[in-house]
Amino acid sequence: MRAPVDDRLAVLRGPAPRRAYTARALAALENNPRCTLRALLDASGSDKAAIAEHAGYPSAFGQSSFALARGNVFEALAKEDGGAELLRLLRETLGLTLPEVGYADLNDYGGDGRPESRYQYTRELMVAAARGEEAPTLYDRPMLRLQVAGHDAYLEPDLVAFRAGDRFHVVEIKSFPIIDGQADPAQVRSATTQACAYIIALRDLLARAGIGPQAVSDDVVLVTPKDFTNRPTAAFVDARKQVATLTRQLSRLERVGDLVALLPEGLTFDLDLDGTRPQRPPAELVAALDEVDATYRPDCLNHCEMAFYCRSRARTGASLDVLGAAVREQFGGIDTTTMVLGLARGQLTPGPDQSEMAVALRHAAQLRAELTGTDGGSI
Ligand code: SF4
């Protein structure tokens, strides 16, 4: 059954090479699990940034080179001297009991740069550790592998995974600060979700050796600079819910055939590249994108290359999605601002599940009219 689905996804992508998955891209799946457009773009390995740009909505998504450089410097600091500072944090700040430490640097095992050799070596070491055999405790940049929509995705964690007690923990090192014990919740969530992809991939690696999921903790160890210094501090973040959501979303990609079956025949996001220059008329590409459901949310701007296109589309359709999940929930059963205004003005007849909301909207419109001295129809 896989081949026809793969053929259809290849049509969707066009002849451009399939994009490799990154943990960051996988993590983004967790942020908008209902989005069909994102699922199809990811499953087909389409180049979302190039598509968004050619459609006229270049992406502002991604980290600045300054942020990347700062992240690299902080990561190197946290790991220096064979992870001595990291170890102190894990033992003293988090109270983890670590045995004698063996540090495995897996950055360039094999010397040929092949992810598969690094994956196999990582696997050998981690399976031995999980079985209680002699093995390192700290793993610097292990190579993990995950099946995404029927294809291998190699994930090179920007982290150290270690073993404490009988469990592996995933460590995510980030350069945003924790100030007075508080960090930006959006950044913490984004870092944790990225770590979830590693947790799932590590569980997959161990499962292939018959080792159960409990061997990998659901608690991510987040290491960040403390206050305004470069001194690292660490905290546990419970990632159980995000792991479950991302797992569900990955299985949705495995069942992408259900989504593909609903696509119009011949639909493609092919840019018709001449070398690196797209030849396809942008309006035609936008029309193809418009054929697929997209569930825009304001936080797409932080997670997905297609965000400006989807925001514009949601605005054009007067969708309540642009106002965020809280507003969306308040207006359950009503999809657009046009409909909200129509009900408030009494110009639309509410459906059975909209009558309560229609009364509330009408009441709000009357109050507003009294306060502003206008009539209800002027909203
Ligand atoms: S930006 Fe668009 S394609 Fe990406 S997740 Fe949001 S709605 Fe889906």
Side-chain angles (χ1 to χ4, degrees):
M1 285 305 290
R2 187 78 228 173
V5 173
D6 278 349
D7 290 349
R8 190 64 193 85
L9 291 173
V11 171
L12 211 54
R13 184 179 70 249
R18 164 175 274 280
R19 301 288 294 181
Y21 294 101
T22 61
R24 197 177 162 89
L26 290 178
L29 292 173
E30 191 269 350
N31 289 290
N32 195 346
R34 290 185 303 122
C35 183
T36 301
L37 180 58
R38 168 108 207 186
L40 287 168
L41 287 165
D42 282 331
S44 60
S46 297
D47 185 342
K48 294 191 290 296
I51 289 173
E53 182 163 359
H54 192 55
Y57 302 92
S59 158
F61 179 73
Q63 281 183 293
S64 70
S65 50
F66 172 75
L68 283 171
R70 180 171 152 69
N72 290 341
V73 168
F74 181 68
E75 184 185 338
L77 267 175
K79 288 178 178 175
E80 74 185 1
D81 297 332
E85 179 64 6
L86 205 51
L87 266 178
R88 184 193 65 74
L89 282 173
L90 300 176
R91 284 178 169 150
E92 293 174 18
T93 311
L94 301 181
L96 289 167
T97 314
L98 285 165
E100 273 312 296
V101 169
Y103 188 88
D105 182 351
L106 305 178
N107 276 281
D108 61 358
Y109 171 80
D112 59 3
R114 283 180 56 238
E116 184 59 25
S117 347
R118 286 179 58 199
Y119 168 73
Q120 291 301 340
Y121 185 53
T122 298
R123 183 170 180 272
E124 203 179 295
L125 292 178
M126 290 195 164
V127 167
R131 287 182 174 147
E133 296 164 19
E134 197 170 325
T137 310
L138 290 166
Y139 302 84
D140 185 347
R141 286 188 179 265
M143 181 63 82
L144 305 175
R145 194 180 71 188
L146 200 57
Q147 279 268 308
V148 183
H151 295 265
D152 283 339
Y154 288 97
L155 306 179
E156 185 180 6
D158 186 25
L159 56 80
V160 178
F162 70 96
R163 193 162 177 256
D166 284 334
R167 314 194 83 188
F168 287 99
H169 290 67
V170 166
V171 181
E172 187 68 9
I173 302 173
K174 291 291 180 195
S175 61
F176 61 81
I178 292 184
I179 298 168
D180 285 340
Q182 302 288 319
D184 175 355
Q187 289 190 305
V188 172
R189 183 178 163 79
S190 164
T192 312
T193 317
Q194 198 172 323
C196 291
Y198 304 136
I199 290 175
I200 295 168
L202 188 47
R203 284 183 173 154
D204 178 81
L205 175 150
L206 296 170
R208 289 167 193 271
I211 298 162
Q214 66 283 355
V216 184
S217 174
D218 281 305
D219 287 331
V220 172
V221 176
L222 186 59
V223 175
T224 68
K226 186 173 183 189
D227 298 327
F228 297 101
T229 68
N230 246 350
R231 196 173 158 75
T233 186
F236 281 126
V237 185
D238 182 354
R240 199 170 330 168
K241 224 169 121 197
Q242 283 161 276
V243 167
T245 311
L246 185 55
T247 306
R248 271 199 305 278
Q249 186 59 4
L250 287 169
S251 26
R252 185 170 181 240
L253 282 190
E254 291 304 319
R255 298 189 313 273
V256 76
D258 299 350
L259 302 177
V260 163
L262 301 173
L263 292 177
E265 197 56 40
L267 185 81
T268 178
F269 304 138
D270 181 14
L271 299 181
D272 189 15
L273 292 175
D274 176 8
T276 55
R277 288 168 59 93
Q279 302 296 306
R280 188 172 189 192
E284 196 183 296
L285 175 65
V286 170
L289 292 167
D290 287 349
E291 295 270 358
V292 182
D293 282 345
T295 48
Y296 176 77
R297 307 185 324 190
D299 69 352
C300 287
L301 292 166
N302 300 326
H303 305 295
C304 183
E305 293 89 337
M306 300 300 296
F308 289 146
Y309 155 76
C310 293
R311 186 177 64 178
S312 163
R313 178 172 150 180
R315 281 178 176 164
T316 306
S319 169
L320 283 178
D321 288 339
V322 287
L323 300 175
V327 175
R328 196 85 170 89
E329 276 162 31
Q330 285 289 324
F331 288 103
I334 302 175
D335 294 329
T336 63
T337 48
T338 320
M339 206 182 275
V340 169
L341 292 173
L343 291 171
R345 290 169 183 150
Q347 294 165 342
L348 284 181
T349 310
D353 56 342
Q354 296 169 339
S355 44
E356 219 175 292
M357 180 55 69
V359 171
L361 284 168
R362 194 77 201 109
H363 181 58
Q366 275 162 3
L367 286 177
R368 184 180 181 279
E370 283 167 24
L371 286 170
T372 58
T374 56
D375 69 66
S378 69
I379 56 169

